[in-house]
């Protein structure tokens, strides 16, 4: 019998924001520990809040009687510690900087009301077992999650500002947010219609890739990419990777099964060619695929196939260089969109800004964007920005069909 412990520790310091001011402070320290035992092709699991004790292990052994199949060898014989924390100051410093940041917003933008949260978050994820596996990943970040409303607006909120970094420069964050609020103050009434470059986050248009690169969907033959493995179907400049490197924040270098990747990354789509789907141990074994460290699940549950951290490889160009003088639309807030089974995408955009010379110049009326996945990431693909022009993120530039309401 092999014993294995999987543990997650979260230490958060949250500032509740109301009327663009801190009105409450909350601290949380959470430890969740999962105990797994492997024997004769079965797995038994038990979990607890806090540190595990001998009773937790006894409960896990008792759960072996449930005969949950798990015929995959536990990860073994490797040790690694990765700490990507930066010296971003104390919680007292964070509170002081946040209050100064919000005071500046109140002074310079009295016509806007910001609410929701600012957070400082530390995470530690570890896994170790009797077979010599010992992994630990530590990280920390500052999170700006602000809901913004204009004082004359009848909406519950008008836009959302989100930003996360390990050691943010509050001055840069202020400049970023102020550029969006300044653009909001400049409503643009010109009619927009037709094919226009759209600046959009990959997470807002990733749904079909997540669905179709799922190893189970590929193995069962229900993915639209099923007959395209090994074929070039997208732009040469488009590469999509499972990214367990240091850039994704709070993404550990191992999955919940202790699987890792060479150099912490592997390509699912490389220079337009679909290479493989994402898989965990079970999916890889079942369908003869490569394990891409895509196991997830709760600390106290059997590992299951889950979406791993995904990144689009950036170009060497800034957003302004990609646009090369072209006007564009920045899709800042969108929800309610989706892909059809054939890969046709459409979505309303609740908050959009006009971009000129790589900078925000005004607020656009609500609009819709659409396009086919093979076009958007084929001939209509301009690239992923090498810089992070807004909200501390890189953005795709796609030539999309744009129509105003």
């Amino acid at each position: 019998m092999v014993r294995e412990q999987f543990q997650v520790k979260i230490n958060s310091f949250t500032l509740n924001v109301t009327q663009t001011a801190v009105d409450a402070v909350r601290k949380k320290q959470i430890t969740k520990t999962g105990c797994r035992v492997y024997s004769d092709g079965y797995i038994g699991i038990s979990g607890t809040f806090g540190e595990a004790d001998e009773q937790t292990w006894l409960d896990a052994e008792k759960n072996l009687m449930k005969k949950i199949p798990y015929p995959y060898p536990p990860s073994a014989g490797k040790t690694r510690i990765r700490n990507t924390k930066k010296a971003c100051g104390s919680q007292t410093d964070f509170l002081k900087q946040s209050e100064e940041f919000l005071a500046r917003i109140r002074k310079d933008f009295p016509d806007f009301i910001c609410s929701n949260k600012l957070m400082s978050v530390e995470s530690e994820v570890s896994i170790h077992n009797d077979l010599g596996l010992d992994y630990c990943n530590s990280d920390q970040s500052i999170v700006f999650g602000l809901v913004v409303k204009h004082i004359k607006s009848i909406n519950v909120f008008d836009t959302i500002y989100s930003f996360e970094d390990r050691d943010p420069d509050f001055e840069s964050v202020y400049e970023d947010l102020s550029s969006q609020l300044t653009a909001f103050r400049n409503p643009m009434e010109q009619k927009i219609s037709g094919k226009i470059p759209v600046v959009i986050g990959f997470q807002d248009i990733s749904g079909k890739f997540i669905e179709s690169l799922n190893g189970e969907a590929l193995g069962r033959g229900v993915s639209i990419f099923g007959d395209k493995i090994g074929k070039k179907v997208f732009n040469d400049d488009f590469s999509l990777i499972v990214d367990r490197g240091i850039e994704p924040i709070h993404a550990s270098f191992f999955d919940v099964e202790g699987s890792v990747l060479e150099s912490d990354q592997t390509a699912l789509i490389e220079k337009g060619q679909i290479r493989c789907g994402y898989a965990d141990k079970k999916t890889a074994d079942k369908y003869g695929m490569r394990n891409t460290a895509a196991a997830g699940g709760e600390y106290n549950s059997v590992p299951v196939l889950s979406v791993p951290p995904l990144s689009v490889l950036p170009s060497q160009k800034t957003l302004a260089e990609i646009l090369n003088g072209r006007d564009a639309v920045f899709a800042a807030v969108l929800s309610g969109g989706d892909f059809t089974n054939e890969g046709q995408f459409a979505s309303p955009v609740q908050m959009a800004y006009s971009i000129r010379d790589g900078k925000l110049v005004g607020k656009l009326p609500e609009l819709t964007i659409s396009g086919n996945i093979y076009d958007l990431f084929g001939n209509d693909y301009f690239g992923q920005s090498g810089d992070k022009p807004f909200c501390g993120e890189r953005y795709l530039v796609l030539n999309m069909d744009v129509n105003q309401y």
Side-chain angles (χ1 to χ4, degrees):
M1 183 171 64
V2 176
R3 285 184 169 194
E4 181 175 84
Q5 177 179 287
F6 181 81
Q7 187 175 76
V8 178
K9 294 181 178 181
I10 303 293
N11 182 11
S12 64
F13 181 67
T14 303
L15 310 179
N16 194 64
V17 177
T18 304
Q19 298 290 320
T20 322
V22 175
D23 73 346
V25 176
R26 185 175 72 249
K27 297 181 181 181
K28 276 188 179 181
Q29 289 183 312
I30 299 173
T31 297
K32 297 183 287 187
T33 306
C35 296
R36 306 168 184 164
V37 291
Y38 305 94
S39 180
D40 300 324
Y42 298 105
I43 186 172
I45 298 178
S46 181
T48 185
F49 281 95
E51 299 290 340
D53 57 20
E54 191 57 31
Q55 185 59 51
T56 315
W57 288 107
L58 290 174
D59 290 342
E61 292 177 20
K62 187 184 299 183
N63 286 333
L64 279 172
M65 301 298 293
K66 295 180 179 180
K67 299 291 185 181
I68 300 172
Y70 193 87
Y72 319 107
S75 300
K78 294 183 179 179
T79 299
R80 182 182 175 190
I81 296 174
R82 185 176 76 181
N83 186 345
T84 47
K85 293 181 180 180
K86 293 187 176 181
C88 60
S90 67
Q91 292 178 346
T92 302
D93 293 334
F94 172 58
L95 175 59
K96 181 175 182 293
Q97 289 178 298
S98 297
E99 289 180 325
E100 292 172 350
F101 170 82
L102 293 171
R104 192 173 178 187
I105 296 295
R106 289 197 304 273
K107 176 178 177 294
D108 295 345
F109 297 93
D111 47 336
F112 291 93
I113 300 170
C114 296
S115 58
N116 204 32
K117 302 180 188 310
L118 304 178
M119 299 177 66
S120 172
V121 183
E122 295 182 59
S123 67
E124 180 182 289
V125 183
S126 63
I127 184 172
H128 62 266
N129 63 28
D130 297 341
L131 301 178
L133 183 73
D134 193 0
Y135 286 157
C136 183
N137 192 97
S138 301
D139 207 348
Q140 123 284 318
S141 67
I142 301 297
V143 183
F144 297 74
L146 296 175
V147 175
V148 184
K149 180 184 182 301
H150 194 274
I151 58 174
K152 293 184 179 180
S153 172
I154 62 172
N155 299 322
V156 175
F157 69 91
D158 292 304
T159 190
I160 296 171
Y161 181 77
S162 61
F163 186 102
E164 183 174 18
D165 197 5
R166 292 188 175 96
D167 186 18
D169 174 5
F170 274 72
E171 177 64 27
S172 297
V173 177
Y174 170 81
E175 294 297 333
D176 185 34
L177 176 56
S178 67
S179 72
Q180 295 190 38
L181 298 183
T182 300
F184 189 102
R185 286 171 167 172
N186 182 31
M188 307 187 75
E189 302 298 336
Q190 77 266 31
K191 185 70 175 176
I192 294 181
S193 181
K195 282 252 188 177
I196 298 171
V198 174
V199 177
I200 186 171
F202 177 69
Q203 69 277 4
D204 291 319
I205 200 168
S206 62
K208 203 64 178 177
F209 290 102
I210 290 172
E211 171 192 308
S212 302
L213 290 171
N214 180 295
E216 182 71 23
L218 285 166
R220 291 171 52 211
V222 295
S223 165
I224 63 169
F225 296 158
D227 61 347
K228 297 177 176 61
I229 300 297
K231 297 181 180 178
K232 182 180 175 301
V233 295
F234 298 115
N235 195 291
D236 288 341
D237 294 330
F238 178 61
S239 293
L240 180 65
I241 63 171
V242 176
D243 191 356
R244 293 191 173 276
I246 63 172
E247 183 161 322
I249 299 174
H250 297 295
S252 63
F253 64 86
F254 55 93
D255 69 5
V256 301
E257 292 179 314
S259 297
V260 296
L261 303 170
E262 185 177 352
S263 302
D264 295 332
Q265 297 177 336
T266 191
L268 304 181
I269 299 173
E270 186 172 25
K271 296 181 179 180
Q273 182 188 72
I274 301 177
R275 295 184 57 190
C276 64
Y278 57 88
D280 59 355
K281 289 181 180 180
K282 178 181 178 180
T283 309
D285 179 73
K286 184 177 180 180
Y287 297 110
M289 297 178 177
R290 183 161 54 90
N291 181 0
T292 62
E298 291 298 318
Y299 69 101
N300 58 352
S301 65
V302 178
V304 294
L305 178 63
S306 302
V307 182
L310 300 175
S311 295
V312 177
L313 286 186
S315 70
Q316 299 300 310
K317 297 180 179 180
T318 65
L319 176 66
E321 289 170 338
I322 291 174
L323 290 174
N324 194 26
R326 292 181 287 256
D327 288 352
V329 170
F330 173 37
V333 180
L334 65 158
S335 64
D338 204 354
F339 281 92
T340 65
N341 291 336
E342 296 75 26
Q344 189 68 28
F345 175 80
S347 178
V349 179
Q350 288 78 20
M351 178 53 59
Y353 296 103
S354 177
I355 296 178
R356 186 165 299 147
D357 298 325
K359 298 186 181 300
L360 304 181
V361 295
K363 180 185 74 168
L364 294 169
E366 291 188 13
L367 47 83
T368 60
I369 55 176
S370 61
N372 185 275
I373 191 171
Y374 299 111
D375 296 327
L376 294 176
F377 293 88
N379 292 333
D380 290 333
Y381 183 78
F382 289 109
Q384 168 94 324
S385 65
D387 63 339
K388 298 179 179 181
F390 315 118
C391 303
E393 298 287 344
R394 294 189 173 92
Y395 284 90
L396 297 168
V397 181
L398 309 174
N399 213 26
M400 304 186 77
D401 291 309
V402 178
N403 289 285
Q404 289 181 355
Y405 289 167

